[in-house]
Amino acid sequence: MAPFVSKATQTIPIVFVMSADPLQLGLVASVARPGGNTTGFTFLQDELASKRLQLLKEVAPRISRVAFLSTPDHPDNELRVAQRAATALGVHLQPIEMRGPGDLDAALQAVTQAPVDALRVSARYPADQWQSGKARRGAFYDRRRAFERRSARMTTVQTKQEISETNRRRYEELRAAGQDVTPMGLPEATALDGAPIAPETVISREQVPAGWYATVRLRRGEALRIVEDTGHSSVSLIGWREEDTSERINCADTVKVQWSAAISKGRVILSDMGRVLLSLVEDTSGAHDLLVGGSTPASTLAAYGATSRNTHENFLSAAAKIGLGLRDIPPCVTFFAPVSLDPKGRFLWNSGRKRSGDFVELRAEMNLVLVLSNCAHPLDPARPAASGPITLVRHRAPPPAQDDPRRTTSAEIIRAFEFTDRLYA
Amino acid sequence: MTSPAAPLSTQIFADAVYSHDIPAERPWSRVLRQGQTLRIIDSEGQQAVDALLYCADNPAERYSAQDTLRVQGSAYVDLGTRLISNKGRVMARVTADTCGQHDTSAGCCSCESNAARFGEATKYQHACRENFILELSKHGLTKRDIVANLNFFMSVPIEPSGAFTVVDGISAPGNYVDITVDMDVLFVISNCPQINNPCNDFNPTPIRVIIWNPREM
């Protein structure tokens, strides 16, 4: 407006407020001494163009090419200042011109196709007019709030720094939920005389002598109860998905996804594919080990003075009988193995947490082949080796109750169940 | 123990038979001969390095996290830790460590576990298991052969309650760990691309590996 008015009169004083450069427009003779009948105020920020680029380089140090979205019709020096700063920072600046909102799609297309690491939007660009965008790279722009309000549809336009902050926030929220909230919602341990199995649901029953193993096939929805008849033994478990044995029990994901190295009633055992292998639907003990593993020839020799039956060799024999081998044997879960850690990370054995008649009940969430090895845990200090029979009861599991892990545990486990269900959808 | 910021000794550079920078997010593998030492340098700091070891002559024999922790009697890998195979043999030992905090219980990240942990959108992000699968394929090995790995420079405290958390790495730029192998070992690394937890400070960076022969006695 000011340029038109100044042409109309040489006498009436004119005061302007503008975003452009009054020198370039010929409104004033100099900034210090405007002269004539025109003076005013400009929120020109050309000098900030270099600062903005510096900041962008600071938050994303590895960028080397930056697209600069500018409006060439606007009389200012921003692009020139930015170009000088880019040279000093060792960044290549690629100007992309927009003369109006109609150019938006073409400009963003150019940005996404150019080999650039970041996008800098001119301070002059009327961000309020932006309705949507398709840029997927880091962007830095003024009037950000106005932009965000109007661009709910815009796909992520975030710097690496912003992505990292967002991800850290999500991680902390998940950690708080997983470690502070989830444990409070876990069901109470099953009573030793609790959760009777209805006789008509039993499919098979087997007692496994001390030192031996059993291979059990479970269909999705069936359950296996493992009863520690004497309170003296421990039971190590590995398992594979029947249809694809490259998918198998994964202790690391089980503890990592549940934020806990301790599993108990209401927890699950995960496969390596982000799916639920087994749910712990009943558990009288809550004292199980996922870190130390089962006994081996060497561990029995060291503990008892002679190599005795051990979990490593049990797993090998069982795997061989279904066409699998050493390569297929993952780290195991050991039930009734009360291992804990002291503050320095040393393993402790808590004998007081073992009771005669302790049991766990595992519901298969996929079709499975399981191997169970009934051997003393390598940290069990009993000499001679702790041993006793275990009883396995395979039965049709009742439908999930209100406190079932499928419904309650955490966002992570609810997702893992969704992924599992898709296998059988 | 050398101070974390100490430069590599000239002795080591003189003896080095191999040196390589592994770019951020990429895998690497090499057969180490008995007695050789591999130094893994966290060049820019706070970078998790996932590693697997296989007996070069019979890859069915491989690193076992559970056997390693059982033999050691404690849950973390540090100076002096013997890396035990699934056949109970010592594959390698940690012979130098300027970081002091390494994990072997948290496994590696995968597209599938990321999806469960952080939401389904993260399924389409690069992950260590993708690296391991591709690198192992060069040696005739497959997903079956991926077991619980070592996580050098990754901090995973396990509390007495069992609470298990990946926290910010403590390694400073230039921190290193030396692994001396007791047999011929196929050593496989994934320079971890995870950006959803603090193991890489949400910003994966390059690492360097250097190998040197045993000193003459």
Side-chain angles (χ1 to χ4, degrees), chain A residues 281-423:
Chain A
V281 290
E282 303 293 347
D283 181 6
T284 63
S285 154
H288 315 300
D289 164 52
L290 286 88
L291 300 177
V292 180
S295 57
T296 69
S299 80
T300 57
L301 178 63
Y304 315 120
T307 303
S308 57
R309 291 200 64 91
N310 60 79
T311 289
H312 177 77
E313 291 177 334
N314 281 345
F315 285 162
L316 263 179
S317 295
K321 292 177 184 175
I322 54 169
L324 300 178
L326 187 57
R327 295 170 64 193
D328 299 291
I329 298 175
C332 63
V333 176
T334 306
F335 296 106
F336 320 117
V339 176
S340 65
L341 284 83
D342 74 7
K344 290 194 164 168
R346 287 180 298 235
F347 296 121
L348 306 171
W349 183 262
N350 306 282
S351 309
R353 295 194 60 185
K354 286 180 70 64
R355 295 178 302 178
S356 170
D358 265 332
F359 65 89
V360 293
E361 183 157 304
L362 308 171
R363 185 180 64 214
E365 304 297 348
M366 46 177 82
N367 299 330
L368 293 171
V369 188
L370 302 178
V371 176
L372 300 108
S373 167
N374 176 17
C375 290
H377 188 275
L379 295 186
D380 190 330
R383 302 290 181 275
S387 67
I390 58 168
T391 298
L392 306 177
V393 185
R394 180 179 158 214
H395 64 105
R396 283 180 293 277
Q402 281 310 312
D403 61 357
D404 192 87
R406 175 173 281 274
R407 299 202 168 111
T408 55
T409 312
S410 65
E412 291 95 329
I413 297 310
I414 288 166
R415 278 193 288 266
F417 271 110
E418 277 172 27
F419 301 157
T420 314
D421 290 345
R422 284 180 206 169
L423 268 182

Side-chain angles (χ1 to χ4, degrees), chain A residues 196-205 393-396:
Chain A
I197 300 173
E200 66 276 13
T201 65
V202 173
I203 301 165
S204 65
R205 187 185 290 267
V393 185
R394 180 179 158 214
H395 64 105
R396 283 180 293 277

Side-chain angles (χ1 to χ4, degrees), chain A residues 62 167-168 170-171 174 179 246 248 256 259 261 272-273 290 292-293 296 312 327-328 332 345 347 415 422, chain B residues 66 70 73-75 86 106 108 116-117 120 129 143-146 162 164-166 168 195-196 204-205:
Chain A
R62 290 189 211 163
N167 288 356
R168 181 180 287 278
R170 178 180 60 199
Y171 184 77
L174 286 170
Q179 289 183 344
S246 83
R248 60 197 186 198
K256 184 166 62 180
W259 302 89
D272 62 282
M273 293 297 286
L290 286 88
V292 180
T296 69
H312 177 77
R327 295 170 64 193
D328 299 291
C332 63
F347 296 121
R415 278 193 288 266
R422 284 180 206 169
Chain B
Q66 288 188 334
R70 171 175 51 75
S74 62
N86 58 350
C108 71
R117 295 170 80 193
E120 209 161 354
R129 190 163 66 178
K143 178 168 97 72
R144 278 169 81 194
D145 299 291
I146 300 173
F164 187 97
T165 322
V166 179
D168 284 287
I195 55 165
N196 297 293
T205 50

